[in-house]
Amino acid sequence: MQWKALVLAAAAIPQQAAAQYATAAMMRFQCSRLVVERVDPLVSPGLIQSPHIHQIVGGNSFNATMEPVAYDLPSESTCTTCSFSEDFSNYWTANLYFKARNGTYKRVKQMVNLGLQGEEGVTVYYIPPYDGKTKVTAFKPGFRMLVGDATLRTSQNQQKQLCHRCYTNVNQTPFGGAPCADSQMDTAALPNKQCDGGIRATITFPTCWDGVNLDSPDHKSHVAYPASGSFEMSSACPASHPVRLPQVMYEVMWDTREFNDPSIWPEDGSQPFVYSTNDSTGYSWHGDYVFGWQGDALQRALDARCSNDKCSELKTQTPAEATACKKQQTVTEDIDGWLTELPSMTM
């Protein structure tokens, strides 16, 4: 979302909630690239080289094991790539690749979102209800969750609010309103046309917790969506998941501009992008989250209704400090050259 626009387009949301957006407060900040590698401690714990490559941001203690509860990210990390220096959480997604006409692949890098500074990575949001008064409970140490499904190739059974938006320019105009709410601009599938301003991919996590389990076998069952209505409208959580959480959202700005040469696109004109899950549809788009804020920092920020990447309740660091935080690949792989196949378990 545009950094100037905390007022989201009323036409894209239920009319009764439109007025609330004028005063909506949401934390929106940069988390730069930590590492790009095939590691996934949620889906493939302990496995060195998971089935597909991810881009990971956040605390530098990220690794393949990260035992639930016992592994404390704030104490294990020595730095973070995020704007708020008390946030050692890890956030990760699949990576997008361009498949050229000759069959070779190249990783698509990310642009830093409008109003932020850093190096590649993810725009992270923590959003309380838009009414400006409803309280949410910060995640507990050891909490983790996953949204989306790397095996999907159709829209059937896809979770809510996973989408792509094709921009005609890097200024993101026209803005188009709330993510995944504009039927003219947002698609669950990858865009089927050239996007001169890149592709914004959005991941929005469930906002209701069962209050007991920090994780679940599928990394999804311990969280849920509101029983009816939406989180944005302060709708009630289901009885099975009564604890209201902040809405965590990722925006990834895929910088597709270097590939906007029709001569290297498929001859049939089909869209040439594919996720690292070997998915050209876009329906496998998914994201993982492991909570790692220090102490009660996140709860204080949520209670204070902090906005954007400045908050009197939190410590911040400079973009230079954040981008200096790096992690070496567990197994060295080429991430920026042209490849004859996608990095995978079969390589």
Side-chain angles (χ1 to χ4, degrees), residues 128-140:
Y130 293 115
D131 63 6
K133 60 184 180 181
T134 300
K135 297 290 186 181
V136 290
T137 300
F139 306 97
K140 305 301 181 187

Side-chain angles (χ1 to χ4, degrees), residues 115-323:
L116 301 173
Q117 298 180 60
E119 177 190 355
E120 295 196 67
V122 178
T123 309
V124 175
Y125 291 76
Y126 285 84
I127 310 173
Y130 293 115
D131 63 6
K133 60 184 180 181
T134 300
K135 297 290 186 181
V136 290
T137 300
F139 306 97
K140 305 301 181 187
F143 187 92
R144 47 190 64 194
M145 61 180 167
L146 163 69
V147 69
D149 185 339
T151 68
L152 285 185
R153 297 297 182 269
T154 70
S155 60
Q156 187 175 2
N157 298 322
Q158 190 178 39
Q159 288 178 267
K160 296 180 180 181
Q161 294 175 296
L162 297 166
C163 68
H164 303 85
R165 182 172 293 184
C166 178
Y167 278 114
T168 58
N169 59 77
V170 294
N171 294 320
Q172 300 180 21
T173 55
F175 176 48
C180 309
D182 190 320
S183 61
Q184 299 301 309
M185 296 186 69
D186 297 320
T187 56
L190 281 163
N192 60 2
K193 58 186 178 181
Q194 182 172 302
C195 302
D196 292 337
I199 299 171
R200 186 184 75 188
T202 300
I203 293 170
T204 309
F205 288 82
T207 54
C208 299
W209 176 42
D210 66 15
V212 177
N213 298 292
L214 299 173
D215 196 5
S216 49
D218 63 358
H219 313 295
K220 297 179 179 182
S221 300
H222 60 306
V223 291
Y225 297 97
S228 63
S230 68
F231 170 82
E232 293 86 352
M233 296 170 62
S234 305
S235 299
C237 285
S240 59
H241 296 73
V243 180
R244 196 191 305 267
L245 300 169
Q247 186 177 70
V248 174
M249 185 172 77
Y250 304 168
E251 285 181 344
V252 180
M253 306 299 300
W254 299 115
D255 192 355
T256 58
R257 292 175 295 173
E258 70 171 289
F259 307 109
N260 284 343
D261 177 0
S263 71
I264 59 175
W265 277 46
E267 291 188 60
D268 64 3
S270 59
Q271 77 84 20
F273 295 101
V274 56
Y275 276 116
S276 53
T277 52
N278 197 24
D279 169 33
S280 60
T281 69
Y283 294 117
S284 72
W285 180 228
H286 64 285
D288 303 70
Y289 173 74
V290 175
F291 173 79
W293 283 80
Q294 201 166 44
D296 65 347
L298 180 58
Q299 188 67 64
R300 296 197 319 269
L302 292 167
D303 290 346
R305 282 301 206 271
C306 290
S307 283
N308 295 310
D309 59 346
K310 302 291 188 293
C311 177
S312 61
E313 294 291 330
L314 298 176
K315 299 175 183 177
T316 59
Q317 60 181 346
T318 66
E321 290 170 322
T323 56

Side-chain angles (χ1 to χ4, degrees), residues 61-73:
S61 64
F62 180 85
N63 65 71
T65 306
M66 298 175 70
E67 183 180 351
V69 183
Y71 195 79
D72 181 62
L73 276 68

Side-chain angles (χ1 to χ4, degrees), residues 4 7 14 24 32 41 65 74 82 84 89 101 107 111 123 127 180 187 224-225 233 239 251 291 297 310 336 345-346:
K4 294 179 180 178
V7 180
S32 293
T65 306
C82 297
F84 293 117
S89 306
R101 183 177 297 186
R107 185 177 74 90
M111 292 181 279
T123 309
I127 310 173
C180 309
T187 56
Y225 297 97
M233 296 170 62
E251 285 181 344
F291 173 79
K310 302 291 188 293
D336 288 324
M345 292 286 285
T346 60

